[in-house]
Amino acid sequence: MPRTWRELRTWLESFERPRAPESLPLRIDRRRIYVLPTRFGLFYGLLVLAMVLGALNYNNNPALLLALLLGTAGLASLVAAHLQLSGLQLDAVSADPVAAGQTLWLRMTFSTRDGRRRRGLRLQHDHTVAGASTGEDGLADVALPLPTRQRGWLEPGRLRISTTQPLGLARAWSRAWPRQRLLVYPRAEPQPPPLPDSGEGVQHSRVHPLGDEPHQLRPYRSGDAPRTIAWKHSARRDSLVVREYERARQQDVLLDWNALRHLGHEARISRLAAWVDQAEREGRRYHLRLPGLALGPGRGPDHRHACLRALALLPSA
């Protein structure tokens, strides 16, 4: 496409409604739906016009009647395409966070309240496209892939919803601009060094019924496993005693922003993001210390999300 035509098209699209982000749910009404004939529709219109001129020239009433019927069908197609979008409502927009550079899947839920099924819907964002149709319950779930380039908040921007149903003669489209921010995690360093050796608040062992090393003897309590009973000691005392074991506990890992002064700003973020993922894979508890913020110790999906979110939202250098 020529550059001048692309700029002209972008300028024309800027006049389409809406011109600012909207809160959910947002409803597509008749004032924000645009309808134009497709290429096939233009050919169809020229064909019908040629039939009308030929029928009038030769005074052929059956041909004229056929041409008028075809023309009426074309006009009805314009109205039907408009009705495919009218009354459609976008209820929810969400996405699971991904690292920068990966594909983020934007999930959207549409609904209708008039009982009419919508078929052949086409959702487009830049060069990515997804199709959808509403079910018998009037709902439609769509997943649209979006590219990510940098960490932080990602705003999906304006989405184009269109259809060429039912005959392909006309294209009806509308714009949706949800006021929704999506989180993108920082890109992790591909091959980070091993985790730091130690952290604060470390406990080297803890009492555990299935541990490896004997810890102490205590009186038997109901529910204790038979394998933990110390039979020789119990025979000497004339009462049952149980061995308590201890299990070695790994040290908590301290991921400190200030310990990476030799790295650049974004390199520090990538290193810490990689260490967070590495600590999760190894089942280690970890702290994260950032300027003005300390998280942990902890582990698990919630703690990982909190740490990666804090890294993603750090101000740029």
Side-chain angles (χ1 to χ4, degrees):
M1 182 182 296
R3 180 177 178 83
T4 55
W5 168 245
R6 183 163 55 246
E7 292 177 352
L8 176 61
R9 182 176 178 178
T10 302
W11 180 74
L12 291 175
E13 289 177 352
S14 65
F15 291 97
E16 297 177 2
R17 297 180 180 181
R19 300 186 182 96
E22 301 174 294
S23 301
L24 297 178
L26 60 89
R27 186 177 179 84
I28 299 176
D29 57 26
R30 58 182 178 81
R31 293 175 297 177
R32 55 194 292 174
I33 300 175
Y34 306 90
V35 183
L36 284 176
T38 61
R39 292 181 180 179
F40 176 64
L42 290 174
F43 171 76
Y44 181 88
L46 292 175
L47 180 62
V48 171
L49 179 60
M51 291 178 63
V52 170
L53 294 177
L56 292 174
N57 184 55
Y58 291 100
N59 197 23
N60 190 328
N61 291 334
L64 181 61
L65 177 60
L66 177 60
L68 293 177
L69 289 176
L70 292 176
T72 303
L75 293 176
S77 177
L78 298 176
V79 177
H82 184 280
L83 292 176
Q84 286 288 314
L85 298 183
S86 180
L88 194 65
Q89 179 170 294
L90 177 58
D91 294 318
V93 174
S94 64
D96 294 327
V98 298
Q102 298 180 355
T103 299
L104 182 144
W105 287 91
L106 180 67
R107 296 189 298 270
M108 293 169 286
T109 300
F110 291 89
S111 66
T112 59
R113 291 183 171 83
D114 51 17
R116 291 185 293 109
R117 295 190 64 178
R118 270 69 167 184
R119 297 179 175 86
L121 299 178
R122 175 187 171 98
L123 282 88
Q124 183 175 356
H125 181 276
D126 289 338
H127 301 292
T128 58
V129 179
S133 297
T134 58
E136 295 180 356
D137 56 359
L139 300 178
D141 294 322
V142 190
L144 187 66
L146 299 182
T148 59
R149 297 178 179 86
Q150 60 184 10
R151 63 180 176 86
W153 293 118
L154 171 66
E155 296 185 0
R158 298 209 302 175
L159 307 171
R160 178 184 170 116
I161 308 168
S162 63
T163 183
T164 57
Q165 294 291 320
L167 299 179
L169 300 178
R171 174 176 286 105
W173 76 92
S174 182
R175 298 280 180 175
W177 194 348
R179 185 182 290 113
Q180 185 75 19
R181 297 191 302 175
L182 310 172
L183 183 64
V184 178
Y185 291 151
R187 183 184 286 105
E189 186 178 353
Q191 295 181 342
L195 291 171
D197 292 333
S198 62
E200 296 181 358
V202 176
Q203 295 181 358
H204 296 279
S205 63
R206 61 191 177 100
V207 176
H208 195 282
L210 301 179
D212 304 316
E213 299 295 332
H215 177 60
Q216 65 180 2
L217 296 175
R218 63 167 176 80
Y220 175 83
R221 292 196 292 262
S222 177
D224 288 333
R227 65 175 290 271
T228 62
I229 298 176
W231 295 106
K232 292 183 178 180
H233 293 82
S234 299
R236 297 193 193 104
R237 301 186 182 186
D238 294 330
S239 62
L240 292 177
V241 293
V242 173
R243 289 191 182 92
E244 278 191 340
Y245 294 85
E246 65 180 6
R247 171 174 288 181
R249 183 175 183 177
Q250 290 182 315
Q251 297 179 348
D252 294 346
V253 180
L254 176 60
L255 309 179
D256 192 355
W257 173 269
N258 294 325
L260 301 175
R261 292 189 179 92
H262 60 285
L263 297 177
H265 186 81
E266 293 298 328
R268 287 198 212 186
I269 296 175
S270 296
R271 174 72 58 83
L272 292 173
W275 276 348
V276 167
D277 290 335
Q278 186 175 342
E280 284 292 337
R281 288 194 299 269
E282 297 178 5
R284 304 280 298 276
R285 296 199 333 156
Y286 54 93
H287 309 249
L288 178 64
R289 286 187 180 176
L290 300 175
L293 179 66
L295 298 172
R299 65 182 176 189
D302 292 340
H303 185 57
R304 174 181 179 271
H305 172 73
C307 292
L308 292 180
R309 183 182 188 275
L311 290 170
L313 300 182
L314 280 175
S316 300

